[in-house]
Amino acid sequence: MITLKDKNILVTGASSGIGRQIAIMASELGATVTIVGRNMERLGETISLLTGTGHKMYSIDLSVSSDIDQLITESLPYDGVVFNAGIVEYLPVKFLNDNKISSVFVTNFDSNVILSQKLIKKKLLNKKGSLVFVSSISSKLGVPGTAMYAASKAALSSFSKVLASELASQGIRSNSVCPGIIRTAMTEQASDVVSQEELKKAESEYPLGYGEPSDVGGLIMYLLSDMSKWMTGSDLIIDGGFTLK
Ligand SMILES: NC(=O)c1ccc[n+]([C@@H]2O[C@H](COP(=O)([O-])OP(=O)(O)OC[C@H]3O[C@@H](n4cnc5c(N)ncnc54)[C@H](OP(=O)(O)O)[C@@H]3O)[C@@H](O)[C@H]2O)c1
């Protein structure tokens, strides 16, 4: 019943992981998809996996304002935007420095604010459009070593709520999703700082085990579709039951 037929959807961070899966699923549901990431080769792989025609890709760095301008200049109005690009940095607070503080925030928060503002100002969001911000369960927790990541995602969830209020009169919706651990390149990064034993123990705390990109993808398809037309300002946890306890 969920369809994205005739919808023009932008997905950031679509060169791998969750973003790639979102682009694939959106194309399968009939959308024309524009994908963004930095790595041209992996973006090309994503494009080759999409159903249908007319999809576009942009190899740009969202932390660079002029790169965002290039995307904006060449964009047609979108019916849905998934703000998914993000990075993680594991560092205890005592080891943070100015550079580490800003690098995570610039990618996970600032770039999404700038992109959404430019989309609004240039009237590149269609009426009844849907914005989806990929936050994280980390925004609700206090996992050691995740201070900047968690704070950047909490900021993103709050930003999405305010946007929901500001855009409701135009019929544009804004929601955020907070996934628990999903198997992607990003989670592999955790094995640099956490032992395999600890990773196994962490998974045992997920009643339904770790998630797959398609698990988050399903929720995002719903949020992009008209099935969720009465839903805005929500911050949805999707975590295989991790926060049940
Ligand atoms: N995996 C999890 O357990 C999990 C849990 C909760 C939330 N999330 C969130 O889900 C989102 C996707 O994560 P993932 O697990 O799929 O990670 P991933 O496989 O590492 O994908 C991250 C994506 O973001 C893109 N990206 C990063 N910095 C960028 C920049 N400056 N400009 C343009 N693109 C950029 C990457 O593209 P390039 O490499 O091509 O630049 C890549 O496509 C992230 O926001 C993450 O915080 C993930």
Side-chain angles (χ1 to χ4, degrees):
M1 278 169 64
I2 291 180
T3 176
L4 298 180
K5 197 169 174 298
D6 298 329
K7 288 195 189 287
N8 188 27
I9 307 279
L10 172 65
V11 184
T12 72
S15 58
S16 63
I18 296 170
R20 171 177 285 174
Q21 186 60 30
I22 291 166
I24 292 171
M25 291 171 86
S27 73
E28 286 171 352
L29 291 176
T32 305
V33 185
T34 298
I35 60 169
V36 170
R38 288 168 301 187
N39 187 297
M40 181 76 102
E41 201 182 321
R42 282 190 277 110
L43 280 172
E45 282 168 28
T46 303
I47 281 279
S48 73
L49 296 169
L50 302 186
T51 300
T53 54
H55 310 299
K56 286 192 236 163
M57 67 180 220
Y58 286 87
S59 168
I60 58 171
D61 185 342
L62 290 163
S63 65
V64 177
S65 188
S66 55
D67 278 17
I68 295 183
D69 286 339
Q70 186 204 334
L71 171 68
I72 291 289
T73 308
E74 296 175 22
S75 284
L76 292 171
Y78 295 107
D79 303 291
V81 182
V82 185
F83 299 82
N84 165 77
I87 54 171
V88 69
E89 183 87 63
Y90 299 105
L91 213 54
V93 171
K94 68 178 173 185
F95 295 124
L96 291 175
N97 56 38
D98 290 357
N99 187 34
K100 295 284 182 195
I101 293 168
S102 65
S103 67
V104 175
F105 252 86
V106 164
T107 301
N108 291 2
F109 182 68
D110 299 19
S111 70
N112 291 317
V113 174
I114 293 166
L115 175 58
S116 49
Q117 188 202 35
K118 290 189 174 177
L119 288 167
I120 294 163
K121 283 176 100 166
K122 295 285 178 188
K123 302 197 183 321
L124 287 172
L125 298 175
N126 284 331
K127 240 184 168 25
K128 296 190 180 168
S130 170
L131 308 180
V132 182
F133 292 87
V134 181
S135 179
S136 167
I137 192 69
S138 298
S139 66
K140 323 265 179 224
L141 306 174
V143 179
T146 67
M148 297 325 297
Y149 179 75
S152 68
K153 293 297 189 177
L156 195 60
S157 290
S158 293
F159 177 73
S160 167
K161 271 187 194 296
V162 175
L163 216 47
S165 300
E166 293 188 3
L167 298 179
S169 62
Q170 298 170 49
I172 298 170
R173 303 179 291 110
S174 176
N175 294 285
S176 49
V177 297
C178 298
I181 294 182
I182 306 292
R183 287 178 217 281
T184 66
M186 184 176 276
T187 37
E188 274 166 31
Q189 244 180 288
S191 57
D192 296 345
V193 286
V194 184
S195 71
Q196 285 303 318
E197 235 168 55
E198 283 172 297
L199 284 176
K200 270 207 178 113
K201 187 171 169 280
E203 179 157 17
S204 71
E205 288 168 23
Y206 277 71
L208 300 183
Y210 288 163
E212 302 296 333
S214 57
D215 294 322
V216 182
L219 175 58
I220 292 178
M221 294 309 108
Y222 167 70
L223 291 171
L224 289 173
S225 79
D226 297 341
M227 291 273 283
S228 58
K229 69 182 174 51
W230 201 54
M231 189 152 189
T232 195
S234 295
D235 188 38
L236 302 163
I237 290 175
I238 174 162
D239 68 353
F242 177 69
T243 47
L244 279 172
K245 288 179 218 154

